C-alpha cells in the first residue's frame, strides 16, 4: 500500500512538472518576435506609448520612445497564479537583482504588468500603482 502511494505521488509530481514545462515552452515560443506597445495605464490613467519589445531566444530587447535600447536575459515562471517573465539587464548580470513582471499572452495580444520598485505584480491590472502595458504582435 505504501509503495503504491509513493508511486502515485511520483507520477503526479512528474506529470505536473511536464505540464508546467509544456506551458512554459509554449509561451516561450509564442513570445518570440517583435511586440509593439500600444498603451500604458496606471491607476486608471491611460496614455499611448510606442515601446518595442523584441524576444529572441532567452533575450529581451526593450526600446523606449527615444530609441534607447536595453537588453535583458529572461526566463518564464508559469508555476504560480500569475505567469511571470523574470528579467535581468545583460550589462549587470552579476550585480543586479532579477525583476519579475506579470504577463498574459493571448494570440497576438500581450499584456505586461510592472509593479512599483520593491513589489511584485499582484494581478493583471493597472491597480495599486502597477503599470499595465498592452502590446500587439508586429504585423498583426
Amino acid at each position: 500500500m505504501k509503495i503504491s502511494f509513493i508511486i502515485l505521488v511520483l507520477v503526479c509530481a512528474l506529470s505536473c512538472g511536464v505540464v508546467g514545462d509544456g506551458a512554459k515552452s509554449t509561451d516561450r515560443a509564442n513570445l518570440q518576435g517583435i511586440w509593439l506597445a500600444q498603451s500604458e495605464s496606471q491607476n486608471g490613467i491611460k496614455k499611448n506609448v510606442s515601446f518595442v519589445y523584441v524576444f529572441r531566444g532567452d533575450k529581451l530587447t526593450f526600446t523606449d520612445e527615444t530609441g534607447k535600447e536595453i537588453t535583458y536575459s529572461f526566463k518564464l515562471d508559469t508555476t504560480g497564479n500569475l505567469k511571470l517573465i523574470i528579467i535581468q539587464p545583460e550589462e549587470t548580470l552579476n550585480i543586479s537583482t532579477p525583476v519579475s513582471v506579470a504577463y498574459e499572452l493571448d494570440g497576438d495580444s500581450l499584456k505586461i504588468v510592472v509593479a512599483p520598485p520593491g513589489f511584485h505584480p499582484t494581478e493583471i491590472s493597472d491597480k495599486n500603482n502597477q503599470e499595465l502595458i498592452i502590446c500587439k504582435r508586429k504585423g498583426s
Side-chain angles (χ1 to χ4, degrees), residues 93-107:
L93 275 176
N94 295 326
I95 57 173
S96 68
T97 303
V99 174
S100 298
V101 297
Y103 75 96
E104 183 176 276
L105 182 59
D106 183 16

Side-chain angles (χ1 to χ4, degrees), residues 59-80:
K59 305 290 183 231
L60 165 61
T61 302
F62 167 74
T63 306
D64 70 14
E65 293 166 318
T66 67
K68 180 182 176 188
E69 284 187 1
I70 301 173
T71 300
Y72 301 89
S73 62
F74 82 92
K75 28 182 204 184
L76 300 181
D77 179 357
T78 59
T79 58

Side-chain angles (χ1 to χ4, degrees), residues 1-13:
M1 183 72 164
K2 230 179 192 182
I3 292 175
S4 298
F5 179 72
I6 291 171
I7 291 172
L8 178 63
V9 169
L10 286 173
V11 167
C12 288

Side-chain angles (χ1 to χ4, degrees), residues 31 33-40 49-56 59-72 110 112 133-139:
L31 277 171
I34 301 170
W35 294 87
L36 307 174
Q38 309 286 300
S39 67
E40 174 184 79
V49 293
S50 58
F51 310 140
V52 178
Y53 298 91
V54 179
F55 290 86
R56 284 207 169 79
K59 305 290 183 231
L60 165 61
T61 302
F62 167 74
T63 306
D64 70 14
E65 293 166 318
T66 67
K68 180 182 176 188
E69 284 187 1
I70 301 173
T71 300
Y72 301 89
L110 173 65
I112 299 171
I133 303 162
I134 307 294
C135 305
K136 294 288 181 200
R137 185 182 302 277
K138 184 175 181 179

